[in-house]
Every structure is written in structure tokens, then in C-alpha cells.
Amino acid sequence: MNCLSMDFRRADVSLREKFAFTQRVRAEMCSAFSEAGGCVPIVTCNRTEVYFQCDQRQAEEILYHFSGVRTTRFAFYAGEFCLRHLFELTAGLCSMLVGEDEILGQVRTCYEYARSLGATAGLDAPFQAALACGKKVRTLTHISSVACSVATLAANRVFSFRKGKKKVLLVGASGKIGSSVLKNLTASDDVDVFATTRSHDFSAQAEGVACVPYKQRYMYLNDADCVVSATSSPHVVFSKDRVRSAIRTRKDRLFIDLAVPQDIDAQVRSLPGCTLVGIDEFRAEAQENNLKKKNAAAQAEVMVGELVTEFLADEAARTYAAMLGALPQEKRKSLYALRKQDAKAFTEQVRLLAEEGK
């Protein structure tokens, strides 16, 4: 198994958005990879990763075909290094906010989607083990003890923007990130939320929230103190010119863009009184969170290493079951005793035996 990975550490949002593939495009990617083995594309606001069975060059050409962009910003992981990276990803160790819970569900959703397309040949066992790893790490360590996410940070920016009651226009409230932002915002009595929606069901679920049609979003800009946008739209949701035309009352306004591709025209920040905060600008707050979880993260890294070792030993036992079954009884017993004592040594011994038998 191999992986090409681009995340917030390797590229800013202006490049990442070129690889923020929609579900339809991910389906086409899975089809393109099918001739060269299994494929699982993972796309979140902070990363695009593709796990595959073919070689690196083939994978890079497929990515270029769907993005139209060639870049050296993708990290390449192979074999055991790839497996370790996947386990660390599901454990929350690769996230901007170490230990955040969203990534585990995101990986599961992306994997299950690729599996529904019949595209995960050769990748099912490592992905299922990685998902189990992510759950176990969160259960046995304190890495997720302090609930924190980009949605939490965005809400905190709104709360601290200005004292007193604030009107917030939330676009994309029915999505995963948007719904998390909404939950955080409605926990405060100092915020009145106007949420745009395209779903008739949403208004029934959003008690205490004024729901407005998405097409009327510009009509509510003048009254809004803060605007938070978190849609999956491939196009700009708020353009500079239309924002300028919609704002009639001069006052300070905060715009927060949590989307990839970006929802809000970057030039909005040049308008009088307008402050624009993008998803990559939450790193300072993220670092504070990560420092608090330093010990838990170290504990999680050790656990991930142990779980990777156990998985490799299990895979070796399954792959070479026939060879192991044909060994003399004493040799077989000795090997399985080693398996209980030192999984890594067991895996190496099995590999050596397989090489000798070729």
C-alpha cells in the first residue's frame, strides 16, 4: 500500500483547494485507479490523500489528470511507513488540532464510499485496522479529552469579536462542519444566528435559529456582525463586489471561511471594516490545544506503533498460513510463542522463512 498526502503542513488552502475533489470526481478517480489496483481517496478541509496499490508515478499522473496541477507538495509514503501514517491519521495525530474527533469519521466515510464502488481491493484490512486503531487510541488515552475542533475555534472567534449581542449569518449550517459551528454558536446567549439552508428538514431541527433561503444570503449581510461560511460549493459563495453592494451600514464585520475550496473571495478583506479569517489562520489557537495534549499525543504515538506492529504480525500469519502450517510442530510452536512475546521479531522470522522457501 502506498499514499500521496498533501495537508495543511505542506500546502496552504490556495493549493489544497485544487485537490478538494467532489464525491463525483472521487468516484471517477476510483475508476481510473481500478486498472492498477485498489484506491481510497480522502478529502477533508485540511488534506487530500490517496491510498493506492500502483506505483507513485502512475498515481501522480492520475492526480494530475483530475486536478490539472503538477506539484511537489505531496508527501509519498510506502509500505510500513504508509501504514503507520494511516494509523496516525485516524488517531488524530496528523490533525491541525491534535486529537480532534472529526478525522476518524471522515476517514471512515471516505473508505466506505470507495468500498461501495468496489475500489478497495487490497486496502480493506489496513483501513479497517486503522479505524479500529483510531477508536482504541481515543478510548485509552486522553487525546480527545478536551473537545476542540475548527468549528469550536470559529465560534470562539465570533464570541470574542465584539462585546454584546451579535448577529451571525451562518452559511452551510446543514453540513458537517456547519452543524458543529451552529451547535457551538447556539450555546451562547449573546449570539443570534441566521442560518441559510437548502433543506426543508433543517428548519425543524434548528430550534431557536432563524432559517433563511441560501439565495437570499446577501440580503442579510448588512445586519450581520459576523459571517461564517462552511459549504461544499466548488464556487465562491460571497464575491467582493456583491458583498460591497450589500453592505450599506458602515461597521466592523468578521468573515470566517471554513471551506475548501474557499467560499469567500479573498478580496473581501480589503473592504472597509471587513476582517476575513481563513481556515489556515487558526493555527495559533491549534498550537495552544496541541501543547495541552502533548503527553497524551506521546502516549498515542506509542500505542499506534504497537498496533501497527500487531497488524503486521497478523498479516504475516495470514499471508503465510500454509507455509507455517507445513513447518515441523516444534518449529511452529516456537514461532507462535515468539508471536506472543515479540510481534515484530515474529514478523521478521516469517519473512525470512518465506524468502528461504522461494
Side-chain angles (χ1 to χ4, degrees), residues 206-354:
E207 186 176 349
V209 176
C211 296
V212 300
Y214 172 79
K215 290 183 178 180
Q216 296 179 16
R217 61 194 182 280
Y218 285 101
M219 294 174 57
Y220 290 84
L221 276 182
N222 189 62
D223 288 337
D225 298 295
C226 303
V227 178
V228 182
S229 195
T231 79
S232 57
S233 172
H235 309 295
V236 170
V237 172
F238 289 103
S239 69
K240 175 190 174 183
D241 291 340
R242 292 194 66 183
V243 168
R244 179 170 50 198
S245 298
I247 293 175
R248 301 181 302 279
T249 304
R250 181 71 66 88
K251 64 178 178 179
D252 289 339
R253 289 179 177 83
L254 174 66
F255 289 79
I256 298 178
D257 190 348
L258 300 181
V260 181
Q262 297 167 95
D263 278 347
I264 303 174
D265 185 344
Q267 293 303 310
V268 164
R269 61 168 44 92
S270 68
L271 297 175
C274 294
T275 299
L276 173 59
V277 178
I279 194 167
D280 286 352
E281 295 174 64
F282 288 102
R283 290 194 183 187
E285 292 96 326
Q287 286 301 315
E288 291 180 17
N289 167 81
N290 297 348
L291 285 173
K292 293 176 183 176
K293 296 182 178 181
K294 187 175 180 180
N295 291 336
Q299 183 184 356
E301 285 181 8
V302 171
M303 187 176 296
V304 164
E306 293 171 348
L307 292 171
V308 167
T309 299
E310 287 293 324
F311 174 80
L312 290 171
D314 289 343
E315 284 293 286
R318 282 193 291 267
T319 302
Y320 300 106
M323 179 195 73
L324 295 173
L327 291 173
Q329 186 176 11
E330 287 303 313
K331 177 67 173 176
R332 190 167 62 251
K333 282 184 177 181
S334 175
L335 267 177
Y336 281 108
L338 179 63
R339 168 73 180 85
K340 293 180 180 179
Q341 297 168 3
D342 190 336
K344 187 172 184 178
F346 167 81
T347 303
E348 289 302 316
Q349 283 295 315
V350 172
R351 286 174 178 170
L352 287 172
L353 286 171

